[in-house]
Amino acid sequence: MVKWKKGNDSEVTNMLESYKTIYRGGQGEITEKKSRFIATVREVKSEEEAQAFVEEMKKKYWDARHNCYAYVIGEHREYTRCSDDGEPSQTAGRPMLDVLLGEELYNTAVVVTRYFGGVLLGTGGLVRAYSKAVQEGLANSCVIEKKHGVLLSVDTDYNGLGRIQYLAGERKIPVQDAVYTEKVSLKLLVPIGQIEEIKKAITEGTNGKAKMEREKELYFAKVEGEYLLYEA
């Protein structure tokens, strides 16, 4: 089953072949020496959206000692920001950002809220706590990989159907929306880097009888057993 999602790639302008982002944000919490660290993760598509998310968390956790944040936005991570929000320099925002970069995430923001428990953690303890909180938040989020590809329409006779299905299965190419009439019409989701290889394989496998047309460039991702298609 295919579902279309629009407008989620506005900041990925130069068409990455693939990138990881947040499909559904989550929240994680850890406790270190009586201090509570609550990480909230969300997909963001612009710096304005990221800042609005930060303000939203500050209002929600208005009584907390700190609301530190980090985010990465853009195809080249043009907008990469972090804040210690009153914690000692480089003990909160930067370690949080390092986790996002280490996980190779794009268009992702995280806010870690700290309720102080009365015991100082030291710089090393803070770095570990904020990093661990982000990891916990990501573990409770749905992270997906969006792949840049082409929706390829293929028309074939029934003799060519099995060969195309075999080629698609061998290369892990999703087959979508098969229509069976006097011929068979298939739609394949082909990663952009494999398009010429797949077209050549289909041509050879069907002795040139299959007709192919590139319908659309897009991003696609598999989420909970379904393929979601995103406007490029």
Side-chain angles (χ1 to χ4, degrees), residues 23-139:
Y23 174 70
R24 183 173 54 249
Q27 190 172 86
E29 179 175 340
I30 66 167
T31 301
E32 292 289 341
K33 296 182 179 178
K34 299 182 180 179
S35 281
R36 293 174 61 205
F37 294 84
I38 306 166
T40 307
V41 179
R42 187 175 296 179
E43 180 197 21
V44 290
K45 301 180 287 292
S46 68
E47 193 161 26
E48 292 76 17
E49 190 173 330
Q51 289 293 342
F53 166 53
V54 173
E55 291 305 313
E56 177 188 335
M57 292 299 100
K58 286 183 176 181
K59 289 179 181 178
K60 180 177 180 180
Y61 297 110
W62 60 270
D63 57 340
R65 178 72 66 90
H66 306 282
N67 283 287
C68 307
Y69 67 81
Y71 57 80
V72 288
I73 302 168
E75 192 262 339
H76 296 292
R77 298 192 177 102
E78 297 89 341
Y79 305 101
T80 301
R81 305 282 186 271
C82 62
S83 170
D84 295 311
D85 193 36
E87 292 281 28
S89 179
Q90 305 292 306
T91 62
R94 184 67 217 189
M96 293 165 58
L97 181 60
D98 286 343
V99 174
L100 298 183
L101 294 174
E103 293 294 330
E104 301 182 338
L105 287 163
Y106 290 75
N107 294 354
T108 301
V110 60
V111 175
V112 175
T113 302
R114 182 189 183 189
Y115 284 95
F116 184 55
V119 179
L120 296 176
L121 300 183
T123 56
L126 287 172
V127 169
R128 288 189 293 273
Y130 278 100
S131 299
K132 185 177 178 181
V134 175
Q135 292 165 351
E136 190 70 17
L138 291 174

Side-chain angles (χ1 to χ4, degrees), residues 152 154-180 183-190 198 201-206 210 212:
L152 184 68
V154 183
D155 290 338
T156 184
D157 57 26
Y158 283 85
N159 290 327
L161 175 61
R163 183 57 179 168
I164 294 172
Q165 289 176 326
Y166 174 79
L167 289 170
E170 185 180 46
R171 292 166 172 80
K172 296 181 171 56
I173 303 297
V175 179
Q176 306 294 326
D177 302 329
V179 177
Y180 300 90
K183 62 180 181 180
V184 183
S185 295
L186 304 171
K187 294 188 188 299
L188 308 183
L189 289 173
V190 185
I198 293 299
I202 290 175
T203 298
E204 293 176 351
T206 63
M212 291 170 279

